[in-house]
Amino acid sequence: MSPFARRLMRLFSFTLLFIVVGAIGALAQEDTPAPAQDSTVYLPAVMGSPPSQVLIAAAYIDSAVSYEPDEAILLWNVGAGAQSLAGWSLRAGAKTATFPLTTTLRLEAGSRLWCTANTDSFRRSFGVDAGCAWSSADNGALLLDGALTLNNNGGAILLRNSRQEDVDMLLYGATTQQSSIWLGPPALLYTRGLVTGAGQVWQRKLDPNSGLPIDSNSARDWAGDLEDLEWGRRVRQPGWGGWDRSDGLWPAVSVDSAVWTVAVGPEGLYQPMVEFFRSATHSLDLSLYTFEHPSLALALAEAAQRGVQVRMLLDGAPPGGITNVQKWCVSRIAEAGGDIRYMAVTDDAPKGYKRRYRFLHAKYGIADGRSVFVGTENPTLNAMPEPTGAPVGGRRGFYLFTDATGVAAALNALFASDWRPTIFADLRPYDPTHAKYGAPPADFVLPPPPVFVVADAPFGEAMTIAAHAESVVVNAPENAMRVDAGIQGLVNRAGAGDEIVFVQMYENKFFGETVSNPIADPNPRLEAAINAARRGARVRLLLDGYFDDEDALRNNQATVAYVRTIAAAEHLDLDARLANPTAGGIHAKLALVRLGEQRWSAVGSLNGGETSHKLNREVVLLVENAVIHARLHSVFEHDWALGEE
């Protein structure tokens, strides 16, 4: 019997009971005097245990690891009562794994339980412990009776209770199988663009308000749903957070009295960054895409030498590879005692093991657990040139520095989640002898710094204020796609009298395949901004013209043309431009949103593409403050005036 049928039966039973009680009462009224007005009549209470509702909430079916020892199924009790799992079973194909009748294992209301093939392999991939296994169990996990094999191409996973009644099902992939407890076609994974099915976790959509899995016994419940442009088309890989509020399902929101510093690049980033490194007394934790700044490397080395614990995460496969300049910088920091980890698969990893993120693209740091920065730029001489007597050019970018308690707590938790070298096999330590992840050649000499000629550089002085402000930390891939929070949440609220400004390295015209279009594969953030203009908001997009590839099908020129065509056809206060105001390109990822009296600024690493939102590790810091907004808006106005009309 399906959960819906059981609920209907319970409702029918209660209704019948009240009918019977009412009938008995009516018959008894002929012989029984009416009660006095001040008396109380007590009816017998009909009570039972709160109902449970256990769902198959996720499944890891096509593992990237050879022989797939980390295949897994997630059970989630979304009901109001606990559920004993004794005698329950999971079935896939012709095989069944059963919870022993002797087990005392219970799934409490609202709780989750992973069952896997091998608990040790699962822990290595997912970073958490499974509670049960069908092949090999350790650390107190329950060993089931029987073993499962999950068909990668398609099939059914069935959950049955101790009475051998079908409770829930995942019908997935290329299967023609049908069931009385599943409605319509099977669920599918989202596999467009750079997203592949291998190594992807099947997951239910989670209710935006409660965070619990939704259940209509159909493919619409599952996150790969192509028809749902708001909550479908989602991706999950092992090792990600985002299952609940504690690990990133929602962005971290806080209100603090704090000191905030706004730094603008290229001319104004170097000094605040070097001062940040020099301020640390006991720890520096850094998560960066690349690091190619010799002077800042020496500042970090000096911090390590004076006893500061320096830990740095870097991406292990940036396009173009790890440069000799970066190798020089990393070697200096490591020689001074810094612990450098590349997000790259280690030599002892299981065959086929994948790193958690396509790119570790975030740019944030934490000093002494209290002071933090979040920015748009990698530490390079292009983005953070050292001051000279003349105006300096380079990459246009932005950084926010703050000691806001809530922001620091969110970034500390995120770094702790990513920095787990004893668990994950994608944190390769620096090895000076390694050809790819080691030191530069012995005869390597640092090249001269690049020179970008500009007429002026008016934003060299950082702005610092003390303010009581609300802030939000958004992190991809866990919550950057939410339409009710973060940047998209703000944009979706904008209307008449409001303003939206994007200053971006790129904002793709559409997602999906490079030959697709905005109808089949819309860019949700871009479409949200256009829809805000339709509601009466003023919308401006300033996109880079320096890096833009004129031959690419999805370049910034195409986005500008798309936006301007819509603006002209619908008479909207909407415009877009290409620009290169600082000679070295716009590398920024900045959003400014004016909502009524609110002034929001969003600074971080999140580009306007699908990979950034769905596959990368990215971080964005949003703050609501009029002074910060005004400073950043003044940079936009300066650069907009220099753009291509």
Side-chain angles (χ1 to χ4, degrees):
M1 185 181 298
S2 70
F4 175 79
R6 288 199 298 274
R7 290 196 294 270
L8 188 63
M9 184 62 72
R10 284 197 294 269
L11 179 62
F12 175 78
S13 300
F14 279 115
T15 304
L16 181 61
L17 174 64
F18 281 114
I19 292 172
V20 171
V21 170
I24 293 173
L27 292 172
Q29 285 178 3
E30 296 181 1
D31 302 313
T32 305
Q37 289 185 351
D38 60 350
S39 65
T40 302
V41 178
Y42 293 92
L43 293 178
V46 180
M47 301 179 65
S49 300
S52 65
Q53 185 183 0
V54 182
L55 300 177
I56 299 171
Y60 190 41
I61 296 171
D62 188 2
S63 168
V65 176
S66 296
Y67 305 107
E68 303 185 331
D70 52 350
E71 286 184 335
I73 299 168
L74 178 65
L75 303 181
W76 196 324
N77 184 357
V78 301
Q83 177 62 59
S84 168
L85 294 178
W88 283 52
S89 62
L90 289 162
R91 184 174 180 83
K95 296 187 177 182
T96 300
T98 303
F99 291 81
L101 290 170
T102 56
T103 186
T104 59
L105 184 62
R106 288 160 54 91
L107 197 54
E108 300 297 329
S111 63
R112 307 185 296 270
L113 177 75
W114 279 104
C115 286
T116 185
N118 181 291
T119 53
D120 182 64
S121 297
F122 176 84
R123 186 184 307 110
R124 197 77 162 144
S125 294
F126 282 77
V128 297
D129 284 323
C132 51
W134 56 76
S135 293
S136 175
D138 65 3
N139 288 0
L142 177 69
L143 186 62
L144 306 184
D145 297 329
L148 300 178
T149 299
L150 308 183
N151 189 320
N152 292 346
N153 297 321
I157 300 173
L158 184 64
L159 175 66
R160 287 177 172 167
N161 64 20
S162 59
R163 297 184 297 276
Q164 295 304 300
E165 298 167 330
D166 295 345
V167 172
D168 195 30
M169 169 181 276
L170 166 58
L171 194 68
Y172 67 95
T175 180
T176 58
Q177 186 172 338
Q178 297 182 344
S179 170
S180 61
I181 65 170
W182 184 275
L183 305 175
L188 298 173
L189 290 173
Y190 181 77
T191 56
R192 296 190 175 184
L194 296 176
V195 184
T196 61
Q200 193 177 152
V201 179
W202 297 78
Q203 60 172 339
R204 283 184 187 266
K205 300 173 190 173
L206 302 180
D207 182 271
N209 297 313
S210 69
L212 294 175
I214 64 171
D215 179 33
S216 66
N217 297 318
S218 71
R220 293 191 301 272
D221 300 336
W222 293 81
D225 180 13
L226 288 175
E227 301 302 316
D228 186 351
L229 296 179
E230 289 193 340
W231 300 101
R233 301 184 175 218
R234 304 298 175 89
V235 180
R236 174 176 286 278
Q237 293 182 175
W240 294 1
W243 292 109
D244 54 37
R245 188 176 295 277
S246 68
D247 73 342
L249 177 58
W250 285 275
V253 180
S254 59
V255 179
D256 297 294
S257 293
V259 175
W260 294 83
T261 296
V262 181
V264 180
E267 60 265 49
L269 291 187
Y270 172 77
Q271 199 61 38
M273 186 63 72
V274 74
E275 289 174 1
F276 183 88
F277 292 162
R278 291 170 179 168
S279 72
T281 59
H282 63 82
S283 67
L284 277 167
D285 291 333
L286 308 169
S287 182
L288 304 166
Y289 183 49
T290 59
F291 194 108
E292 300 171 301
H293 200 299
S295 295
L296 291 176
L298 294 177
L300 281 176
E302 189 275 329
Q305 288 168 344
R306 67 174 186 267
V308 175
Q309 180 192 58
V310 177
R311 298 188 296 179
M312 183 189 296
L313 278 170
L314 294 169
D315 190 76
I322 299 169
T323 66
N324 283 329
V325 173
Q326 176 163 306
K327 291 179 179 181
W328 186 96
C329 294
V330 168
S331 67
R332 295 304 184 273
I333 301 167
E335 288 166 1
D339 189 353
I340 317 295
R341 304 275 172 160
Y342 283 103
M343 179 146 282
V345 176
T346 59
D347 291 337
D348 61 350
K351 185 177 180 181
Y353 192 95
K354 293 174 62 176
R355 59 186 196 161
R356 282 166 283 169
Y357 313 113
R358 183 170 181 82
F359 294 115
L360 182 87
H361 193 251
K363 303 146 199 340
Y364 71 90
I366 312 160
D368 300 331
R370 299 189 305 270
S371 300
V372 303
F373 68 72
V374 176
T376 71
E377 303 309 296
N378 305 305
T380 69
L381 287 168
N382 293 325
M384 303 178 185
E386 297 179 44
T388 66
V392 294
R395 310 281 190 252
R396 172 63 87 213
F398 305 91
Y399 263 80
L400 294 176
F401 297 80
T402 185
D403 60 357
T405 303
V407 177
L411 293 179
N412 273 301
L414 191 64
F415 189 87
S417 176
D418 282 348
W419 183 282
R420 288 189 281 170
T422 60
I423 297 292
F424 293 114
D426 61 359
L427 296 171
R428 178 184 282 273
Y430 167 78
D431 175 0
T433 65
H434 198 281
K436 182 175 181 180
Y437 303 108
D443 60 351
F444 173 72
V445 177
L446 287 171
V451 176
F452 298 93
V453 179
V454 292
D456 68 342
F459 304 107
E461 291 296 323
M463 183 198 76
T464 298
I465 64 168
H468 187 74
E470 181 179 355
S471 59
V472 181
V473 176
V474 172
N475 47 278
E478 290 87 354
N479 54 55
M481 284 292 295
R482 291 192 72 101
V483 299
D484 59 352
I487 295 173
Q488 285 194 61
L490 294 174
V491 172
N492 283 330
R493 289 163 50 195
D498 298 329
E499 182 190 59
I500 298 165
V501 167
F502 286 168
V503 180
Q504 291 282 146
M505 182 178 177
Y506 61 87
E507 190 71 31
N508 286 161
K509 178 180 173 181
F510 53 85
F511 282 4
E513 308 295 340
T514 56
V515 295
S516 190
N517 58 76
I519 303 300
D521 291 291
N523 172 347
R525 189 167 76 172
L526 178 61
E527 296 301 325
I530 294 171
N531 287 332
R534 291 176 173 133
R535 295 190 296 269
R538 179 179 189 268
V539 178
R540 297 293 183 268
L541 287 81
L542 185 62
L543 306 180
D544 172 71
Y546 178 79
F547 299 102
D548 199 41
D549 181 359
E550 64 179 13
D551 295 324
L553 297 176
R554 195 159 38 189
N555 59 19
N556 285 339
Q557 296 175 51
T559 301
V560 169
Y562 173 66
V563 166
R564 287 181 169 178
T565 298
I566 292 174
E570 301 181 30
H571 308 289
L572 305 178
D573 193 358
L574 166 69
D575 198 3
R577 288 183 182 179
L578 299 182
N580 180 22
T582 53
I586 294 177
H587 192 262
K589 308 93 172 59
L590 172 72
L592 303 174
V593 183
R594 186 183 74 230
L595 289 177
E597 297 301 316
Q598 294 185 331
R599 302 292 187 271
W600 284 95
S601 304
V603 172
S605 62
L606 189 68
N607 284 307
E610 187 167 29
T611 298
S612 295
H613 283 79
K614 296 183 180 180
L615 296 176
N616 287 0
R617 165 59 81 221
E618 311 275 6
V619 171
V620 181
L621 175 57
L622 295 84
V623 58
E624 197 282 303
N625 179 270
V627 177
I628 294 173
H629 181 277
R631 172 64 166 176
L632 294 171
H633 200 278
S634 69
V635 182
F636 158 71
E637 291 173 335
H638 172 274
D639 293 351
W640 179 265
L642 299 176
E644 301 175 9
E645 296 186 13

